[in-house]
Every structure is written in C-alpha cells, then in structure tokens.
Amino acid sequence: MMADALGVEVLKLVNEYVVIDTVKIASLLEKDHQQIVGAVNSLRSLGDVIQTEQVSNKHWQLTEEGKLFLEHGSHEACVFEAVSAEEGMLQEELMKTSPNAKIGFSKAMSAGWLIMDKKAEGGPRVKRKVTSIEDIAKEQVMKVQAGGIDSIPDKERNELKKRKLIMEVVVKSFKVSKGVNFCLSVSKLETDLTPEMLSSGSWKEQNFKAYNFNAMGVMPVSGHLHPLMKVRAEFRQIFLEMGFTEMPTNNYVESSFWNFDALFQPQQHPARDAHDTFFIQDPMYATEFPMDYLERVKKVHSEGGFGSQGYKYDWNIEEAKKNLLRTHTTAVSARMLYKLAQLEEFHPVKYFSIDRVFRNETLDATHLAEFHQIEGVVADYDLSLADLIGVLHEFFNKLGMEKLRFKPAFNPYTEPSMEIFSYHEGLKKWVEVGNSGVFRPEMLLPMGLPEDVSVIAWGLSLERPTMIKYGIDNIRELVGHKVNLQMVHDNAICRLDKGNK
Ligand code: FB9
C-alpha cells in the first residue's frame, strides 16, 4: 500500500530540504502540525524510509485574541473604523460598539488617530484626526502567523506579548531527514503473505515488515467457561480415570422415599423438616414406587430386620410420597444401587455424580440454598473402611491433597462415617474437605443386594474447592444473580496448580 498523499508531500519536502522540521512542513503545506506528525509516524513504519529526531522548540503562536486581529483587524483599527469620518461619534456610544472598544479607543488615541471634543453638545465626542491609518498590530500578528517572528523587533514583540496577542509554546516536533531506504514513491510494508502473492509470484517485489517476535498474541474471541464448570470437568476427569461411571442426575425433584426413606433416614429426622428441605407444592406427591421394595423399607424402619432393631415407629407412606428438591445426590446413588440389585447377577460398580442439590438453610458468605454435590460410590464384595480410606487417598491425591486425616462422624445412612480433612499448605491449616462412610445394611439389604456386598461412598461440594482454587471469598461472586460476568470472562483459561500447596 502506497504512503498516502500527505506522506508523499512530506517526502518531497524532505527531498528538497534534506533536513526539515515538522513545524516548518506544517507551515509550508498549510496543515495542522499534529497532522504532519501523524504522516511522519506513518512514514516511519515503512521501514527506514525517513529518519527522525525528536526536538523541542520554543515557538511563538497567536492567542485567541491574536487570531481575532487576523480576521477583524486590531481593536484600535476597529474603533477608528467605527467613528464616522464626518460627524465623529459620542464617546459613550463608541464604548458600546465592541467589548474591546475601551482598549481600542486608548490605543487609537495613543496612535494619534482620534481626538476628543469634551465640550461638544450632548457630551464628549470622538473625531478622526487622520484620514487613513496603517494597522501595524494586525500586520505584526500576520507576520507571527506566517512564522516570521524573527523579523519583528524586540520592542514590538514585547508589546504583542504584553497585549497577550502572542504566546510562546514548547512544541515537540521532529527533524525529518532521509532514511537509508528513502524514495519518493514508497509502498507500505506488507504484513501478510497471501495465497495470491504466492501463486502470482508478486511476493518477490513486495517489502515485508520484519517479524516482531515480541508482539503479544491477540486474545482469541471465544466463549468463557464459568470456574465452577472448569472445576467440575477436573473432578469428572479424576473419576473417569479412576474407572468411575457417571450417574444420571437429571432430576432435581425427588420423592422423600428415594431422598430419605430408602437411605434409612427416619421420617421424624430434623433434616426432613420444611426448615431444612424444599418440599414441592405441585405435584406435591410422587405416585409410583416399586411397592415390594417400599414394603421392605417400611418394615426395616418400623420393625427392623437384617439384624437391625429398626426405629420402632409407624412408618407413613404419605410422608414418603412427598416431593422435594433433592437435598443430596445420594438419592441418585440409592436409585442406582436399587437398579443394580435387580440384576440377575451382582457385579461390582464404581459410580459418581456431580450435580445441584438444594437445602433450605440459613444463607451466609459461603452458603447458598443450593450447591453442587460431588459423590463417589463403590459397590463390591467385602469392602471395608480400609478400602474407603484407600480410595479417598487416591481421589484427593489427584487434587494435590496428600495429607488426609479422618474424624468419626454420623450420617443416618452410613456406619461408620468419617469427616475428611486435608492439610492445605496455602492456607496453612487443616480444611474439612468432605464426608464419607459405609452404607448401612438397613439401606442395602431391603434393595436386595447380596449380604456379602458392601458399598462405600463419599461426598464433597464443588463450590468450596472452586472458591479456594480461584481465590473467591464470597459465594455470591461465584454463583447467583449478582455474579459479575466479567469474572467469567477474565478467569484463567486453565490453572496449573496440580499438587496445589
Ligand atoms: O466440600 C467440602 N469442603 C472442601 C472440599 C474440597 C476442597 O478443596 C480445596 C482445594 C483445596 C476444600 C473444601 N465440604 C463438604 C466440607 C465443608 O466445606 C462443609 O462445611 C460444607 N459441606 C457441604 C454440605 O454442607 C451442607 C461440603 C458439602 C458436603 C458435605 C458432605 C457431603 C457432600 C457435600 C457428603 C456426603 C456423603 C457421605 C457419605 C456417603 C455419601 C455422601
């Protein structure tokens, strides 16, 4: 691409003057100085066509008032013109002819252009003393405008300065001279080698811009994954490489039967209260259950069985039918284990799930009424707590958590149960990272699983690790209607914190 027309004009002047300042170029081409600087910068990008040296010059230029002189003449000349050659003019009237009449009148009197008749009828009257004038001030301002200030004697220059018609400014400009590749018809350096150039061979005549290896890449325009979804993918990957299969968790609405009763959670348990659980108004009740299994659940709650004394209360199907928003993904685990128990032949399985659960809890900076639960389940013959601890080490190790400690805990559906703690090197403290346990026989045997099959499981949340990994303190910055979508845009495309300390 050729240098543009102004660029070519500049090159011609450089050619003629050998070295020329951009202020001079602006004056010769009657262009604004900044426009000339822009043209020079564009020429500089063509690669050594010109050479430039930045200079600072003190430069006299007209003030706004000085520019008025160019257009209308000096104030004194305007006042002289306002006074009629024959009758003159009342001084009072003359002062109203312009905002600068007072200064113009004073200068015109000093210049001997006017006289005053103080005894005239009607008040002091101004008359012309000469028939014509020479507007010196305007001529001097014109000289300055044309860059000819040096031709004005110091005394007059100081007068112009005193009258604030001219001001001295520091102008950063460029001394421009020929570069090693100087020529009058330059073409812009090519930045792309196109298929057309290759096929036509025109690349041979092109000048290519040197490759800038330090140039930063352009941020690719793309979508942006929410941190939660990135960490979910990390957990999913860990489960998959450990041979786990993802469970179908696509039902937020669940019956109390699968969410609680199937897990041997008694109907009077506080967690089943409306203060902790979101019950559904419509449809309020689930209607379809495997009734033979439901009878066995009812029995194990009310009378016991399988070696358990049960809870000895009147189990009520109406309670089990109530629909709710699932409070944990363990409801899905229960459904999957029941399905497994219906097979002709039991086979070991490893299941996982990562999905939303809902709890009617007190909200605070780290707790909302919903969160994503991560759950792992292993069903096999004769599994023990040792197997659970081993699987937990394997799982959390892949998250960079090497030091684990376990604390006895209680869940209605697991015995024994353990809270899981990991020493977080970054936070320098033990952090609770989840909960786990061995599902109770009162949960597994009514499903029909063989007596020598045991099931170990554990759970944690997705939000907690995400907030720690992305340094987010308030959960409302991570999820909810107040999330700043710029956070989703700006968060790192990937984190390299494997073995995060
Ligand atoms: O996620 C939790 N903490 C956590 C996890 C990972 C982590 O990684 C950081 C990068 C280093 C950091 C912290 N917790 C479980 C522990 C606490 O945050 C706790 O205060 C909040 N818990 C939630 C429940 O709160 C109502 C987290 C959630 C939780 C708790 C238990 C289970 C699932 C989620 C479970 C279970 C379970 C048990 C037995 C059998 C089957 C499932």
Side-chain angles (χ1 to χ4, degrees):
M1 195 169 75
M2 301 293 290
D4 62 15
L6 183 57
V8 172
E9 289 305 306
V10 170
L11 288 172
K12 284 178 183 168
L13 287 174
V14 172
N15 194 39
E16 186 183 337
Y17 286 77
V18 182
V19 180
I20 183 168
D21 187 284
T22 46
V23 172
K24 179 78 174 167
I25 293 172
S27 168
L28 291 171
L29 297 181
E30 293 180 353
K31 295 284 184 187
D32 180 77
H33 181 243
Q34 283 312 314
Q35 213 178 337
I36 300 302
V37 170
V40 164
N41 285 332
S42 172
L43 289 170
R44 283 165 66 187
S45 71
L46 297 181
D48 294 333
V49 172
I50 56 172
Q51 266 185 336
T52 59
E53 176 202 338
Q54 181 155 13
V55 291
S56 288
N57 280 319
K58 283 194 174 173
H59 175 67
W60 289 95
Q61 66 183 35
L62 302 187
T63 62
E64 286 312 309
E65 191 161 354
K67 287 173 187 168
L68 276 178
F69 279 34
L70 279 186
E71 207 171 326
H72 305 294
S74 68
H75 300 324
E76 51 274 29
C78 292
V79 161
F80 179 80
E81 291 308 319
V83 174
S84 146
E86 295 69 29
E87 302 98 38
M89 184 182 227
L90 279 176
Q91 184 183 19
E92 187 185 359
E93 288 304 312
L94 180 58
M95 288 302 119
K96 295 174 188 168
T97 54
S98 104
N100 303 305
K102 191 174 175 200
I103 179 69
F105 171 69
S106 157
K107 290 291 178 189
M109 292 293 284
S110 314
W113 297 349
L114 302 171
I115 54 171
M116 175 96 90
D117 175 358
K118 290 185 181 165
K119 295 184 181 118
E121 197 176 332
R125 196 172 191 82
V126 180
K127 290 182 183 169
R128 291 188 178 188
K129 195 175 175 183
V130 293
T131 52
S132 67
I133 59 163
E134 189 188 356
D135 193 350
I136 306 286
K138 176 183 176 180
E139 286 163 12
Q140 289 170 341
V141 160
M142 288 170 70
K143 274 185 190 163
V144 173
Q145 177 67 359
I149 188 144
D150 299 336
S151 62
I152 301 173
D154 287 353
K155 185 169 175 289
E156 279 80 356
R157 186 191 305 186
N158 291 335
E159 175 64 8
L160 292 175
K161 214 167 106 181
K162 194 169 146 215
R163 291 187 67 177
K164 294 190 172 35
L165 298 172
I166 61 172
M167 60 183 170
E168 192 172 31
V169 292
V170 175
V171 175
K172 288 192 186 323
S173 60
F174 291 99
K175 281 208 175 309
V176 187
S177 55
K178 294 181 181 178
V180 292
N181 297 334
F182 182 82
C183 70
L184 286 174
S185 61
V186 288
S187 60
K188 191 152 176 67
L189 292 182
E190 291 298 332
T191 52
D192 294 314
L193 179 60
T194 62
E196 293 71 26
M197 289 176 185
L198 292 171
S199 56
S200 68
S202 65
W203 60 271
K204 294 171 192 151
E205 292 81 46
Q206 302 281 4
N207 295 322
F208 287 89
K209 190 173 181 184
Y211 199 84
N212 173 7
F213 289 96
N214 301 317
M216 294 301 287
V218 175
M219 176 74 172
V221 177
S222 70
H224 301 272
L225 283 173
H226 189 285
L228 264 189
M229 297 300 104
K230 289 182 191 158
V231 177
R232 181 179 67 175
E234 282 179 59
F235 277 104
R236 179 173 282 137
Q237 183 54 33
I238 287 171
F239 276 117
L240 292 174
E241 69 191 28
M242 288 174 69
F244 283 63
T245 305
E246 189 152 14
M247 293 187 265
T249 55
N250 53 330
N251 64 302
Y252 293 163
V253 174
E254 184 56 276
S255 64
S256 296
F257 177 76
W258 287 106
N259 198 77
F260 294 122
D261 296 286
L263 301 178
F264 195 57
Q265 188 142 352
Q267 292 187 333
Q268 63 275 39
H269 190 284
R272 299 185 65 155
D273 186 281
H275 293 298
D276 288 20
T277 298
F278 289 112
F279 288 97
I280 304 292
Q281 196 124 43
D282 179 16
M284 189 170 280
Y285 299 108
T287 53
E288 287 179 26
F289 303 100
M291 290 315 283
D292 58 333
Y293 170 47
L294 183 140
E295 285 306 318
R296 294 195 295 274
V297 170
K298 173 178 179 173
K299 187 168 181 304
V300 83
H301 277 246
S302 51
E303 299 167 24
F306 310 106
S308 166
Q309 63 176 358
Y311 293 117
K312 299 185 174 56
Y313 72 95
D314 283 341
W315 186 85
N316 176 357
I317 189 167
E318 292 311 308
E319 195 56 41
K321 288 164 69 174
K322 284 179 183 173
N323 278 330
L324 47 72
L325 291 181
R326 67 179 175 219
T327 61
H328 48 197
T329 47
T330 320
V332 182
S333 305
R335 283 177 175 269
M336 291 299 284
L337 290 169
Y338 172 73
K339 214 179 280 180
L340 176 67
Q342 305 321 300
L343 299 179
E344 279 304 305
E345 184 74 21
F346 171 78
H347 62 83
V349 293
K350 294 187 283 191
Y351 290 144
F352 78 94
S353 62
I354 308 176
D355 211 334
R356 291 162 77 172
V357 296
F358 308 85
R359 299 195 184 177
N360 192 354
E361 277 190 335
T362 315
L363 311 181
D364 65 23
T366 58
H367 289 87
L368 291 175
E370 60 181 88
F371 65 93
H372 288 75
Q373 178 174 341
I374 298 168
E375 182 158 337
V377 178
V378 180
D380 200 346
Y381 294 104
D382 303 323
L383 289 179
S384 69
L385 203 59
D387 297 295
L388 175 57
I389 292 174
V391 155
L392 292 175
H393 274 290
E394 187 64 26
F395 177 78
F396 283 100
N397 203 20
K398 288 173 181 288
L399 283 160
M401 297 184 221
E402 285 144 14
K403 275 193 266 180
L404 295 183
R405 289 202 311 201
F406 305 96
K407 187 174 153 190
F410 175 77
N411 296 315
Y413 38 87
T414 53
E415 184 58 38
S417 309
M418 303 183 301
E419 280 172 355
I420 311 157
F421 289 81
S422 163
Y423 188 74
H424 195 282
E425 301 291 347
L427 305 172
K428 293 278 180 257
K429 65 179 185 178
W430 286 94
V431 173
E432 184 187 347
V433 294
N435 191 305
S436 64
V438 182
F439 283 132
R440 299 178 67 126
E442 294 94 329
M443 170 182 161
L444 303 179
L445 297 180
M447 290 180 177
L449 284 167
E451 285 196 9
D452 55 352
V453 164
S454 39
V455 184
I456 56 177
W458 73 99
L460 63 153
S461 76
L462 184 62
E463 283 75 7
R464 294 291 292 135
T466 303
M467 287 171 73
I468 291 176
K469 285 171 180 288
Y470 283 84
I472 294 173
D473 299 334
N474 188 316
I475 194 157
R476 284 164 185 73
E477 287 174 39
L478 185 70
V479 290
H481 66 290
K482 289 188 176 169
V483 165
N484 172 5
L485 289 182
Q486 197 60 40
M487 175 278 289
V488 180
H489 180 276
D490 295 344
N491 79 86
I493 284 184
C494 73
R495 289 183 344 275
L496 304 175
D497 61 0
K498 284 296 170 234
N500 62 327
K501 297 302 172 203

